[in-house]
Amino acid sequence: MNLDTIIFIVSALVAVSGATMMISLRNPVLSVMSMILSLVAQAVLYIQLGALFVGAVLIIVYSGAIMVLFLFVIMLLNLRGSEDLGRQSSPIKMSTKILFSLMLFVEFVFVIKVGFFKGDIPLGVMSQTTDNFGSVESVAELLFTNYLYPFELTSVLLLSAIVGAVVMSKRDAAETKTDESAVAVKDSDSKEQVVES
Amino acid sequence: MKDILRAIGNVFLKMPKGFFVTLRHFFKKPVTLDYPRKKKPMTPRYKGRHYLERYDDGTERCVCCGLCAAACPSDCIYMEPAENEKGERYAKIYEINQIRCIYCGFCEEACPEEAIFLGQEYEFSNSDLDSFIMTKDKMLVPHPRKENPFKKMFRRMRKAYGVLDK
Amino acid sequence: MLEMIIISSIKVIIVVIAVLTGCAYSTYMERKVVGHMQHRIGPSYAGPFGLLQPLADGVKLIFKEEIIPDNIEKTTYLLAPAISFIPAILTFAVIPFGKDTSFFGFDIPMVLSDLNIGILFVFAVTSLGIYGIVLAGWSSTSKYSMMGAIRSSAQMISYEVGYGLSIIGVILIANTLSLRELIELQMGPLWGTITFLPNWYIFSQPLGFILFLTCAIAETNRSPFDMAEAESELVAGYHTEYSSMKFSMFFIGEYANMIAVSSVGATLFFGGWHGPFLESFPMLSVFYFVAKVIMFMFFYIWLRATFPRFRYDQLMNFGWKVLFPLALLNTMVTAYFVIL
Amino acid sequence: MITVTAYVIVAAVLFIIGALGVLISRNLIVMFMSVELMLNAANLCLIAFSRALNVMDGHAIVFLVLTVAAAEVAVGLGMVINLYRNKETINIDRYNLLKW
């Protein structure tokens, strides 16, 4: 029970409970907040796994931009907990859904147990890492050599996302420009920054 | 593009101007005072709280003629006359309602005896309504009086026409 | 191990106390400086030159009645001040505030934690600060607070881009993300040749510096970009419904953010604790650092006293049509010269 | 000593919660966030494997996934706003025009 273990257990618990709260709370803003909690805990897990850069980027991109956008949309639509979300679906439907999820989980555990324990991936041990594991330089080196084409493709994807967002949130020409359209454009731009940085 | 050029222009041409203005004023002497400790000297003819004057021998100048009350536009002076043992009139009660008073100074001008005048003090605030009634004992206190140059002139004129002080 | 823990704890306590005192006294500085710029004298009654004014304010805020409105979202309402306050303080974990010195035989690095992704940490943490504002505005169920929160989130989305891009130039030149290494790189004569100037990045990145400054002011919700709390339009914006200690937590958070951004600016562009005569007096470095931060704070206040508030749409336009392209241009030009 | 399996199991749990969220939630925005959560669970897995095998490729892929997620959010939230404008609700059960 060393410090690493404690940190792992705490952040794993926070991540899972944040995620659970996210899907169970009725109030959308509280949902977003618990999602952020979960994300921060996940970033801690990343950093514990040696992925400093990706962990920081996760917080910057997700907590810093994407979740703000979620909050912004919730506020724009002025959704509060009182929003009528319809009747409860029938217990049979509900239990079927939960059952399916549990089956999926069992399957995952099975896959982890059977598939990966053959020894291809040394899951049982944490291998010693090289010095610059998880550093910005090593990620950048990979991105600009082996993963250059996917990287360029994401920029095309971002461009199409910008165009898509603009087209989608643009109202009829007769109506005046609104904040939403402006914000949708902005959001996709802010993602581009991450790629370039 | 136009926006960018304008922004650059503003940063290098217009913004320094604004910064310079505030910086210049930063080094100027402030116009406000450290008020409760330092007070602004009022002008000689400033009309503040009321005082009643005495003659040099200690008797009151006011003879309760009522001219000040008659001149008062806001009707804030109340007085009751009486006679002393020498048979001279004096004001038994002389009260000024400071809340009604508009500090116009007409009483000062109307007074034939130069008994009442308005001094330099201006801090009247109080939490007690009764304290705003200026009674005789409050007004008859000794006070630093700066002679009003116009009063001086009037006194000389009165002397010249034979209306003499006591 | 134990020594390290004790030293680190002492450092943390000292830094937190210093930051909180700094926050208190930057309110004093702000009132004095703005006062003099408007021909007033500012606070002068509590203590000599009003120096005890922050203390008096603090005592007043603590003992004030705590008013919690009825129709609020209780959880988030209570959480919001802490959320805006904690990230602001967290930023100081990676900022080096002096040259490493030794006390009583211990070598003490003058930084709480020297991460090799220091700048990214700062950006990650400051980007969390927005939630305090947004949640406060949303949970107060007041229209002024709500307006403040919406403005703030939109402003944040549009400025984060320029903010991030403006420092890319510096990082490209320095080739590191660690704040300590950045400072070490800024020692010595400018570009290795000009001896009378230090090698601060403001000389090689003037455009980057201006962009950084602009975005930092928008990021900390300060005038002229203080639309989240525009007092002449929205009463007090997002913290309209807060009182007593909760209000003061927002206040401290805002000032701590200002100090944090100032420290980052000083570290990135003005050489951090770097200054003359450090060989003989290493403790002078802390003084240099504080002096640079105070310069930044003075600029903040100066700006507030000088310019009127931006309009909402002007700000958005400015962020997207001016800052963003300029930051891209700066990155491109710097990259070109770096590759050369 | 924690093993990589522990991280992978945490990732699996997160993924399941995300899937459950997509299945049972009737709030469009929460559904959307559940999808993001599933992406993140996959990311966590990638990072864990990257650590286990001591290669950096996982990090690069996570980086690309993050950009994809960002693009997805930009378009998706635009869609949510448009849907809300049409029906004044974000209850997913109300969007049943194509249901037979």
Side-chain angles (χ1 to χ4, degrees):
Chain A
M1 203 67 180
N2 53 359
L3 196 65
D4 262 4
T5 322
I6 296 169
I7 291 175
F8 169 75
I9 291 173
V10 169
S11 46
L13 279 179
V14 170
V16 170
S17 52
T20 320
M21 270 152 69
M22 192 267 286
I23 63 166
S24 56
L25 287 172
R26 309 221 81 189
N27 191 329
V29 171
L30 289 182
S31 265
V32 170
M33 288 322 288
S34 20
M35 178 74 178
I36 292 161
L37 192 69
S38 174
L39 282 169
V40 171
Q42 284 176 44
V44 173
L45 289 179
Y46 281 28
I47 288 165
Q48 213 181 3
L49 282 167
L52 273 174
F53 173 64
V54 181
V57 166
L58 182 83
I59 291 188
I60 293 176
V61 173
Y62 261 100
S63 315
I66 294 183
M67 296 327 267
V68 175
L69 207 69
F70 270 105
L71 268 184
F72 185 78
V73 167
I74 289 171
M75 286 182 178
L76 202 72
L77 306 181
N78 206 4
L79 307 170
R80 292 197 177 268
S82 56
E83 159 102 4
D84 171 37
L85 286 178
R87 70 209 180 286
Q88 290 287 330
S89 49
S90 63
I92 301 172
K93 263 188 186 173
M94 197 72 164
S95 45
T96 323
K97 285 169 181 173
I98 293 174
L99 193 70
F100 268 106
S101 313
L102 281 179
M103 276 166 62
L104 197 60
F105 182 64
V106 171
E107 194 184 329
F108 276 155
V109 173
F110 192 70
V111 167
I112 293 167
K113 208 165 152 43
V114 177
F116 289 149
F117 263 42
K118 280 179 181 167
D120 290 348
I121 299 174
L123 280 182
V125 287
M126 290 276 219
S127 57
Q128 216 57 49
T129 53
T130 40
D131 271 354
N132 61 350
F133 182 82
S135 68
V136 191
E137 290 88 356
S138 45
V139 176
E141 209 178 301
L142 269 180
L143 273 181
F144 289 108
T145 54
N146 289 3
Y147 291 88
L148 185 61
Y149 289 117
F151 185 73
E152 293 296 333
L153 278 177
T154 45
S155 68
V156 177
L157 178 79
L158 281 170
L159 186 66
S160 57
I162 295 172
V163 176
V166 171
V167 168
M168 201 156 348
S169 47
K170 202 163 191 173
R171 292 183 179 178
D172 298 337
E175 285 179 84
T176 46
K177 257 206 295 180
T178 53
D179 283 345
E180 294 99 286
S181 61
V183 166
V185 183
K186 271 145 212 167
D187 159 66
S188 22
D189 278 352
S190 71
K191 303 315 164 316
E192 197 160 55
Q193 166 226 342
V194 177
V195 179
E196 277 144 3
S197 61
Chain B
M1 199 63 209
K2 212 176 73 188
D3 284 328
I4 296 180
L5 287 179
R6 201 170 58 211
I8 292 173
N10 284 348
V11 166
F12 287 108
L13 301 175
K14 292 188 181 163
M15 276 175 66
K17 231 186 219 170
F19 277 127
F20 181 67
V21 168
T22 32
L23 196 66
R24 200 177 62 219
H25 286 283
F26 180 64
F27 291 110
K28 275 188 184 170
K29 197 172 171 291
V31 290
T32 54
L33 292 170
D34 190 1
Y35 166 62
R37 287 185 227 137
K38 286 180 203 155
K39 279 173 193 157
K40 193 183 170 190
M42 304 313 285
T43 52
R45 296 198 62 198
Y46 180 80
K47 290 175 280 198
R49 72 164 266 189
H50 308 263
Y51 286 106
L52 284 179
E53 290 244 46
R54 289 173 196 272
Y55 286 115
D56 294 336
D57 59 357
T59 50
E60 295 161 21
R61 274 184 180 236
C62 178
V63 295
C64 203
C65 62
L67 279 177
C68 49
C72 183
S74 60
D75 221 3
C76 65
I77 303 178
Y78 173 77
M79 56 180 68
E80 274 179 26
E83 283 188 9
N84 64 6
E85 58 274 11
K86 279 192 250 167
E88 289 168 334
R89 266 169 72 98
Y90 75 101
K92 193 169 75 182
I93 302 175
Y94 191 101
E95 285 177 358
I96 294 177
N97 187 341
Q98 271 191 298
I99 301 175
R100 293 194 65 157
C101 179
I102 59 168
Y103 301 95
C104 58
F106 282 4
C107 45
E108 196 180 348
E109 279 172 33
C111 187
E113 297 289 328
E114 284 184 34
I116 188 167
F117 86 100
L118 274 63
Q120 304 275 312
E121 284 80 3
Y122 49 88
E123 290 150 319
F124 303 129
S125 48
N126 208 320
S127 54
D128 176 18
L129 267 183
D130 285 347
S131 64
F132 287 108
I133 306 292
M134 290 290 274
T135 48
K136 241 175 78 177
D137 52 326
K138 279 194 215 163
M139 287 192 283
L140 272 170
V141 291
H143 51 81
R145 180 170 187 181
K146 261 188 198 164
E147 182 119 55
N148 186 335
F150 289 89
K151 280 266 154 124
K152 216 175 197 171
M153 191 178 78
F154 283 137
R155 189 176 302 135
R156 263 194 233 117
M157 281 165 72
R158 275 206 291 276
K159 255 181 197 157
Y161 288 109
V163 190
L164 282 171
D165 286 347
K166 202 177 191 178
Chain C
M1 185 64 189
L2 189 68
E3 272 172 14
M4 204 197 80
I5 290 175
I6 291 172
I7 291 175
S8 308
S9 323
I10 292 172
K11 271 197 301 190
V12 168
I13 290 167
I14 290 176
V15 167
V16 168
I17 289 174
V19 168
L20 291 182
T21 321
C23 292
Y25 275 92
S26 35
T27 63
Y28 171 77
M29 179 178 166
E30 171 147 27
R31 292 169 70 177
K32 271 285 186 199
V33 171
V34 172
H36 276 279
M37 281 178 177
Q38 296 167 349
H39 289 194
R40 299 182 284 113
I41 50 174
S44 62
Y45 209 73
F49 306 105
L51 271 172
L52 297 178
Q53 187 67 39
L55 197 72
D57 282 342
V59 171
K60 181 200 79 173
L61 280 168
I62 289 169
F63 285 108
K64 253 189 161 175
E65 187 191 354
E66 183 119 28
I67 298 165
I68 297 179
D70 268 346
N71 299 315
I72 48 159
E73 312 277 339
K74 195 102 178 193
T75 334
T76 38
Y77 180 85
L78 297 178
L79 218 60
I83 294 178
S84 77
F85 171 72
I86 291 169
I89 300 281
L90 263 183
T91 318
F92 293 95
V94 292
I95 291 168
F97 44 86
K99 195 180 182 181
D100 300 355
T101 40
S102 55
F103 281 116
F104 314 115
F106 297 114
D107 281 336
I108 298 176
M110 293 291 238
V111 52
L112 293 184
S113 147
D114 180 33
L115 287 182
N116 62 1
I117 52 157
I119 298 176
L120 280 182
F121 178 85
V122 170
F123 274 65
V125 169
T126 44
S127 69
L128 288 180
I130 183 76
Y131 290 111
I133 293 172
V134 172
L135 281 185
W138 180 80
S139 59
S140 303
T141 40
S142 145
K143 56 187 161 195
Y144 298 117
S145 310
M146 190 72 181
M147 288 294 291
I150 291 183
R151 285 181 178 195
S152 173
S153 55
Q155 177 184 342
M156 152 93 181
I157 292 170
S158 45
Y159 271 84
E160 191 80 350
V161 191
Y163 192 42
L165 276 175
S166 62
I167 59 154
I168 299 285
V170 170
I171 294 170
L172 278 175
I173 296 176
N175 209 2
T176 177
L177 287 176
S178 156
L179 290 171
R180 184 221 279 276
E181 281 175 40
L182 268 170
I183 291 173
E184 274 158 14
L185 281 167
Q186 291 181 58
M187 289 179 185
L190 184 59
W191 302 317
T193 45
I194 304 169
T195 44
F196 58 90
L197 281 176
N199 190 17
W200 293 349
Y201 285 136
I202 184 174
F203 298 116
S204 24
Q205 285 285 317
L207 179 60
F209 175 67
I210 292 171
L211 292 173
F212 173 83
L213 208 57
T214 318
C215 295
I217 290 156
E219 189 80 2
T220 45
N221 280 324
R222 283 285 299 181
S223 176
F225 304 116
D226 61 342
M227 298 177 317
E229 50 174 302
E231 67 272 1
S232 46
E233 303 158 30
L234 299 180
V235 189
Y238 59 92
H239 53 58
T240 307
E241 304 295 334
Y242 283 86
S243 55
S244 178
M245 212 45 213
K246 292 204 182 62
F247 167 76
S248 72
M249 264 166 101
F250 278 116
F251 217 69
I252 296 171
E254 185 185 328
Y255 279 88
N257 249 329
M258 280 162 69
I259 297 177
V261 166
S262 305
S263 318
V264 174
T267 310
L268 287 180
F269 293 99
F270 285 92
W273 42 260
H274 176 229
F277 312 117
L278 279 184
E279 291 76 21
S280 32
F281 307 100
M283 280 314 283
L284 215 56
S285 60
V286 179
F287 171 76
Y288 286 137
F289 181 69
V290 172
K292 281 167 188 171
V293 171
I294 288 175
M295 291 275 290
F296 265 90
M297 295 298 286
F298 181 79
F299 181 76
Y300 262 105
I301 297 162
W302 190 6
L303 196 66
R304 181 190 160 174
T306 308
F307 292 109
R309 185 177 306 120
F310 268 58
R311 217 171 50 217
Y312 188 50
D313 57 322
Q314 283 175 334
L315 180 115
M316 294 296 230
N317 273 341
F318 186 65
W320 287 104
K321 293 187 183 161
V322 179
L323 287 180
F324 183 49
L326 276 179
L328 275 180
L329 182 78
N330 185 41
T331 313
M332 258 166 60
V333 171
T334 318
Y336 178 75
F337 278 106
V338 167
I339 288 173
L340 230 64
Chain D
M1 188 64 201
I2 15 152
T3 57
V4 175
T5 324
Y7 289 97
V8 177
I9 288 182
V10 171
V13 171
L14 287 175
F15 190 90
I16 297 303
I17 293 172
L20 200 62
V22 173
L23 285 177
I24 65 172
S25 175
R26 278 184 305 281
N27 187 334
L28 252 177
I29 287 176
V30 172
M31 275 178 78
F32 207 177
M33 281 195 287
S34 303
V35 175
E36 300 291 315
L37 188 66
M38 282 154 78
L39 279 173
N40 272 324
N43 283 351
L44 184 55
C45 245
L46 282 168
I47 299 273
F49 291 146
S50 195
R51 177 79 160 81
L53 297 172
N54 198 8
V55 286
M56 290 294 299
D57 294 51
H59 294 205
I61 296 170
V62 167
F63 197 84
L64 298 179
V65 172
L66 281 180
T67 30
V68 172
E72 177 214 330
V73 168
V75 178
L77 284 178
M79 284 170 70
V80 170
I81 289 177
N82 261 5
L83 286 172
Y84 188 83
R85 266 192 217 144
N86 282 337
K87 281 216 167 182
E88 297 277 301
T89 179
I90 51 159
N91 182 354
I92 196 72
D93 285 351
R94 298 258 184 273
Y95 296 99
N96 50 7
L97 267 178
L98 287 176
K99 207 173 176 184
W100 53 278

